[in-house]
Amino acid sequence: MEPQLRQTVADGVATVVIDHPAKRNAMTAGMWGALPPLLAALAADPAVRALVLTGAGDTFCAGADISSLRTEPGRAQELAGRAEEALAAFPKPTLAAVRGYCVGGGCQLAAACDLRFADEDAAFAITPAKLGIVYPASTTRRLVALVGPATAKYLLFSGEPVDARRALRTGLVDEVLPAGELDARVKEFTRVLASRSLLTQAAAKEFADAAAGTGAGGAREAYWAEQMRGSGDTAEGVAAFLERRQPRFGWAPPR
């Protein structure tokens, strides 16, 4: 089977699957290049309220396909950086569902998601020091924002793997699930995300990323206050609470 990114949309949740089982779901240049336009299409789809990134089978992603680094290392790193930034900029909540190996470029993609849920057998490693590659500044800042400078240096200096429990302690992942329970938990949690106000989520995502030094920054409070006033989401949320029903939020990102 050709390396590919597969996508589905169900119940407000888009799922993107990294599918390259012959090389433990390593990302080829074509896959890196395909991710930004795929994400742009899903971002524009009003049926999509959240996105899950995962790998086919029992591996999340073993990183970049090393053959692409041999032929065009600069080009491969540029494509990976564009894919990472497109994922980080996705305007709706994103969650990486990780089982098995999450290595190199795979960890780069997982870190670009808003949240990371992992199977208890997951293993994480960031491996540029094994290949003589300089990790991009923006990628390093994102990692430091997640795990702090000491753990970021441990991962970057050594390239050594850490297990899911250590990843949880350091903030690299948000939840660790017992074997066989990851899919059910991801489905349950993304159903919650899809039911909440996208207005709140989009503004919170922008503000949180700016506070962590990984977003665009700037004075955006006035913009989001205007969006809130015109959205009707606040009135709907209050009414639903008082009427003891599920809210029906209607805000969508301006086109």
Side-chain angles (χ1 to χ4, degrees):
M1 183 180 293
E2 288 295 314
Q4 61 179 320
L5 300 173
R6 294 189 283 107
Q7 68 176 80
T8 58
V9 178
D11 300 324
V13 179
T15 300
V16 176
V17 179
I18 303 167
D19 192 355
H20 188 188
K23 293 194 176 181
R24 290 184 173 179
N25 296 332
M27 293 283 288
T28 65
M31 294 166 76
W32 287 121
L35 188 55
L38 184 156
L39 292 172
L42 292 174
D45 185 347
V48 173
R49 302 296 300 270
L51 182 140
V52 173
L53 179 69
T54 194
D58 59 2
T59 297
F60 180 75
C61 175
D65 188 329
I66 299 299
S67 62
S68 65
L69 296 177
R70 174 177 290 180
T71 56
E72 292 185 286
R75 176 63 173 162
Q77 193 168 11
E78 178 186 352
L79 289 170
R82 289 179 182 175
E84 176 196 358
E85 295 305 323
L87 183 57
F90 194 78
K92 304 167 187 181
T94 57
L95 187 152
V98 180
R99 57 175 56 82
Y101 289 106
C102 179
V103 177
C107 213
Q108 190 175 349
L109 289 174
C113 291
D114 298 313
L115 300 166
R116 286 146 297 281
F117 287 8
D119 190 274
E120 64 183 0
D121 73 349
F124 300 81
I126 300 175
T127 53
K130 292 184 175 183
L131 300 169
I133 293 172
V134 175
Y135 222 38
S138 60
T139 306
T140 303
R141 283 194 297 270
R142 185 165 289 117
L143 179 64
V144 170
L146 279 178
V147 302
T151 298
K153 289 174 183 177
Y154 176 92
L155 294 167
L156 286 165
F157 290 1
S158 70
E160 290 295 290
V162 298
D163 63 19
R165 286 175 177 78
R166 182 166 180 175
L168 180 65
R169 289 198 306 272
T170 61
L172 187 57
V173 301
D174 301 287
E175 291 190 16
V176 173
L177 285 304
E181 296 184 15
L182 178 63
D183 289 343
R185 175 57 179 149
V186 168
K187 184 175 182 180
E188 173 194 33
F189 189 75
T190 52
R191 184 164 54 241
V192 170
L193 293 180
S195 74
R196 303 305 195 221
S197 169
L198 185 56
L199 169 69
T200 301
Q201 293 166 342
K205 179 168 181 168
E206 181 177 309
F207 292 158
D209 288 348
T214 60
R220 294 275 286 171
E221 290 89 347
Y223 168 83
W224 285 110
E226 181 182 354
Q227 291 294 310
M228 183 176 68
R229 284 193 297 270
S231 70
D233 270 17
T234 304
E236 168 60 13
V238 171
F241 177 82
L242 295 174
E243 296 166 14
R244 299 184 178 181
R245 61 172 174 80
Q246 287 294 316
R248 295 181 290 274
F249 295 116
W251 182 87
R255 292 184 177 276

